[in-house]
Amino acid sequence: MTGPRLFVEYPARPDPDCPKRMVFGPCGGIRDDRSCEIDSRPCPFGHTAQPVRWEGEEPAPNPAGELLRAAESGPVILTDLSVAAFDRSNLEEVAKIVGASSDSVLVGEHQNRPDFPPTVMAQMIAGVGGRPWITLTCRDRNRVVLEQELMGLRQAGADGVFCVTGDGRAQGVRPDVTQVFDLDGTRLTALAAQAGLSVGVPEAPQAEPTAIRPGRLLQKQRAGAGLAVLNHVGTVGALTEFVSTARAAGVTIPIIAGVAVYTDERSARVLAAFPGLHLDPAEIARVVTSDDPRAVGIETAVQEAADLLSVPGVAGVNLSGLASGSGEIPAAHVKAEVAERIRERMDAR
């Protein structure tokens, strides 16, 4: 039995002024002054008035994975997996802890810290009962390798694949290694959908230019996305405006809102450093300077989740961030407690 052939092409050429060679920019890493996260040049998409339209084939919907099926009946919890690199026992222990309280776990990729291949990660997590959504970025893999990973993830037990362009490698990190960017997240989405996978995509509601972000999500949906996970927003009002505008534009896929989980200065600093993410500095200060930052941080995340889940059109939350600077296992327990308390609130409604 042979699998699908991956042949998706797109006629438009990558923008020559974009270091990530994007067609469907801007990425979520654009800075607030509309400069590029890689080398501070003006982003060529920074003043785009309309999102680049997806003019390719619109794939037929694929069979939904467990997370998408759960989202059809009620709010879901997706939890970021934060683990030590190349440490199977750590990976499995963290996956067990957060997997027990979440509908699925989201496995990220890091520009400064490689880890096991995505297919191996999927197998390990599924092997301990987790439901992995695996992130694929376009930074370190050419198109051929991305196609191999997509076909491998179909066989490895991945519940879905999260398709992103990827952040650029920071200066001084592996200067001997090229950054590929054969594709961007939208074109990778089309390949993943054609491979028969459930596909998730990111969007950054408060990244510039904010006016095109709802329409940009619509183009990803047209390319084959079945789920959206949003970057953090500064206020519930900002999320409400984004979701309502996206729904009015024609976005029908489940939208998952980001919940910032931090319980100390280090975990807050890591979240605040990412371009495109917007956190309330006063709220961070309140948590990290409290007498019990762990307890206050957990309660803050639970309350944020409750506020975001009250927004019409939000199908769930993504527990995101380092959670604790004390190590991966303590951080996993923080996220698990947050998830359990969110479920208690949902069940009490």
Side-chain angles (χ1 to χ4, degrees), residues 64-136:
E66 292 187 47
L67 180 64
L68 293 182
R69 290 197 299 270
E72 293 175 355
S73 58
V76 294
I77 299 175
L78 177 66
T79 300
D80 281 5
L81 197 74
S82 299
V83 296
F86 299 119
D87 187 332
R88 178 168 186 160
S89 62
N90 180 270
L91 168 69
E92 292 178 338
E93 185 169 359
V94 171
K96 287 178 183 177
I97 294 169
V98 300
S101 57
S102 305
D103 294 284
S104 291
V105 295
L106 180 59
V107 182
E109 281 202 328
H110 307 280
Q111 52 86 19
N112 62 343
R113 187 177 60 83
D115 210 326
F116 294 116
T119 51
V120 175
M121 298 282 276
Q123 289 171 328
M124 290 179 179
I125 295 167
V128 296
R131 295 163 296 280
W133 273 71
I134 305 294
T135 299
L136 277 187

Side-chain angles (χ1 to χ4, degrees), residues 321-339:
L322 192 62
S324 171
S326 299
E328 296 82 16
I329 304 305
H333 284 294
V334 167
K335 289 179 181 175
E337 184 171 344
V338 171

Side-chain angles (χ1 to χ4, degrees), residues 230-248:
L230 304 184
N231 280 4
H232 304 288
V233 295
T235 65
V236 175
L239 176 66
T240 302
E241 180 179 359
F242 174 86
V243 174
S244 63
T245 304
R247 295 300 190 206

